């Protein structure tokens, strides 16, 4: 279309204000922000580096296809940045650097190198404004022991997801209760021991949301948690072993909670395990 007098030409994409481009770039994946958009022009490179685009980092989705050395992202880094050996740890460092200390949501896949402590130290140092954190199973007892020491760095933490409950959980809970005044949400799975239940009841008094799905959760520990965490409005212990979803005492204790879900949970003892094949599926084997 020819321009006539009084007609104002629309600016080219590369000439748009950085804030406008950054708003559009919120629709892009992290891969495109890291390896595609910065190579279009200077304007796009400035916009792709906007810290607001890197505040929420969910790196779990389809992580095997995304971050393996043979994945398209690795090929793009080799072609455009000359990276000979692409690693998830390197990509994580790039994301944290682009965020400039502004990360508020971070979810990590089970791709951290061993020992994990060094990478967790980096997250603790670079992500002190975290509100939500999701961690994969830690690789060693040393890494699990290190986790409580890092909690004080995340004073703004509100929600923590531990894919597998670490052996250091009581110490983690104590640190959350001491150093994270706004902490209100926990999700984990594993064998909930008496000391774990006691730690939740004693340290996480402000807990409003708790998910313990697919855990080994004896009735006594469940009742201790419900008695101690009086602020709960959401509680889920679906498909657990250790108590029955039909237990009247458990149902009565949970009646005060706005959203209370224990469907699929069963009390299983040795006699039942030996005499009924229905309790031998993989979900119960994993929990026990």
């Amino acid at each position: 279309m020819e321009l006539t007098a009084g007609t104002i030409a629309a600016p080219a994409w590369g000439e748009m204000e950085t804030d406008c481009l950054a708003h559009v770039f919120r629709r892009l994946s992290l891969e495109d922000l890291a390896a595609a958009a910065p190579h279009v022009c200077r304007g796009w490179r400035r916009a792709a580096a906007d810290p607001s685009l890197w505040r929420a980092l969910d790196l779990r989705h389809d992580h095997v296809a995304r971050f393996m050395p043979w994945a398209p992202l690795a090929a793009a880094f080799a072609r455009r940045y000359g990276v000979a050996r692409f690693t998830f740890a390197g990509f994580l460092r790039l994301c944290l650097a682009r965020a400039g200390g502004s990360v508020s949501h971070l979810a990590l896949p089970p791709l951290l190198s061993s020992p994990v402590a060094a990478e967790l130290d980096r997250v603790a140092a670079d992500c002190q404004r975290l509100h939500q954190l999701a961690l994969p199973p830690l690789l060693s007892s040393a890494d699990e022991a290190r986790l409580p020491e890092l909690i004080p760095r995340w004073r703004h933490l509100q929600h923590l997801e531990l894919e597998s409950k670490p052996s250091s959980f009581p110490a983690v809970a104590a640190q959350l209760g001491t150093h994270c005044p706004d902490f209100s949400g926990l999700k984990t799975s594993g064998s909930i021991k008496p000391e774990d239940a006691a730690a939740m009841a004693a340290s996480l008094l402000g807990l409003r949301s708790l998910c313990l799905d697919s855990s080994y959760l004896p009735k006594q520990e469940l009742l201790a948690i419900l008695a101690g965490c009086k602020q709960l409005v959401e509680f889920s212990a679906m498909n657990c072993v250790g108590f029955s979803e039909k237990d009247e005492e458990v149902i009565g204790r949970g009646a005060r909670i706005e959203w209370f879900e224990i469907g699929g949970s069963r009390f299983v003892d040795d006699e039942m395990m030996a005499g009924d094949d229905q309790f031998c599926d993989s979900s119960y084997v994993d929990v026990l």
Side-chain angles (χ1 to χ4, degrees):
M1 181 179 68
E2 294 184 2
L3 297 180
T4 59
T7 301
I8 301 176
W13 277 94
E15 298 174 358
M16 290 182 65
E17 293 290 336
T18 299
D19 290 347
C20 293
L21 276 174
H23 181 75
V24 175
F25 284 2
R26 286 184 173 86
R27 298 177 178 270
L28 297 180
S29 67
L30 290 177
E31 291 92 325
D32 287 335
L33 285 175
H39 296 275
V40 173
C41 63
R42 292 180 180 178
W44 282 39
R45 183 163 59 250
R46 285 194 302 270
D50 189 311
S52 68
L53 299 175
W54 303 84
R55 287 175 185 163
L57 302 174
D58 188 346
L59 303 172
R60 294 177 300 183
H61 175 67
D62 203 17
H63 60 269
V64 173
R66 293 169 72 190
F67 300 122
M68 290 296 100
W70 53 83
L73 182 60
F77 267 69
R79 182 172 63 256
R80 292 168 176 161
Y81 296 114
V83 175
R85 183 174 177 270
F86 177 86
T87 64
F88 172 76
F91 185 72
L92 175 62
R93 288 194 295 271
L94 176 113
C95 291
L96 298 183
R98 293 282 176 87
S102 68
V103 176
S104 61
H105 296 65
L106 177 63
L108 298 175
L111 294 176
L112 302 180
S113 58
S114 182
V116 175
E119 292 173 13
L120 288 182
D121 281 339
R122 179 177 296 277
V123 170
D126 294 349
C127 304
Q128 297 188 20
R129 299 180 186 177
L130 272 180
H131 291 170
Q132 296 187 23
L133 174 64
L135 293 177
L138 301 181
L139 300 179
S140 71
S141 57
D143 292 328
E144 292 188 348
R146 179 79 174 105
L147 183 57
E149 301 175 20
L150 301 178
I151 297 297
R153 307 268 194 98
W154 301 314
R155 294 181 178 274
H156 302 286
L157 195 64
Q158 299 173 6
H159 183 91
L160 177 63
E161 181 175 339
L162 300 168
E163 187 174 333
S164 178
K165 182 190 70 67
S167 58
S168 59
F169 179 80
V172 170
Q175 294 285 59
L176 288 169
T178 301
H179 299 285
C180 305
D182 298 323
F183 188 76
S184 61
L186 173 68
K187 180 178 181 180
T188 192
S189 180
S191 177
I192 307 301
K193 301 176 181 179
E195 55 266 33
D196 300 321
M200 290 187 209
S203 300
L204 304 181
L205 301 180
L207 203 61
R208 297 179 62 81
S209 176
L210 176 60
C211 179
L212 299 173
D213 290 350
S214 301
S215 291
Y216 174 62
L217 179 57
K219 176 181 174 179
Q220 183 175 354
E221 277 63 78
L222 171 57
L223 294 178
I225 292 170
L226 295 179
C229 300
K230 300 181 184 300
Q231 302 301 316
L232 283 173
V233 295
E234 297 180 357
F235 178 82
S236 180
M238 299 179 64
N239 301 312
C240 290
V241 173
F243 71 95
S244 171
E245 65 176 331
K246 299 179 181 179
D247 189 293
E248 293 184 359
E249 185 176 8
V250 171
I251 294 172
R253 292 286 186 91
R256 64 176 175 80
I257 300 174
E258 183 176 333
W259 195 85
F260 185 75
E261 182 58 69
I262 56 174
S265 294
R266 304 182 186 185
F267 175 78
V268 183
D269 58 26
D270 292 340
E271 182 179 350
M272 295 172 68
M273 288 289 289
D276 196 336
D277 290 341
Q278 68 175 314
F279 296 105
C280 294
D281 62 29
S282 60
S283 62
Y284 287 96
V285 172
D286 289 343
V287 169
L288 296 173

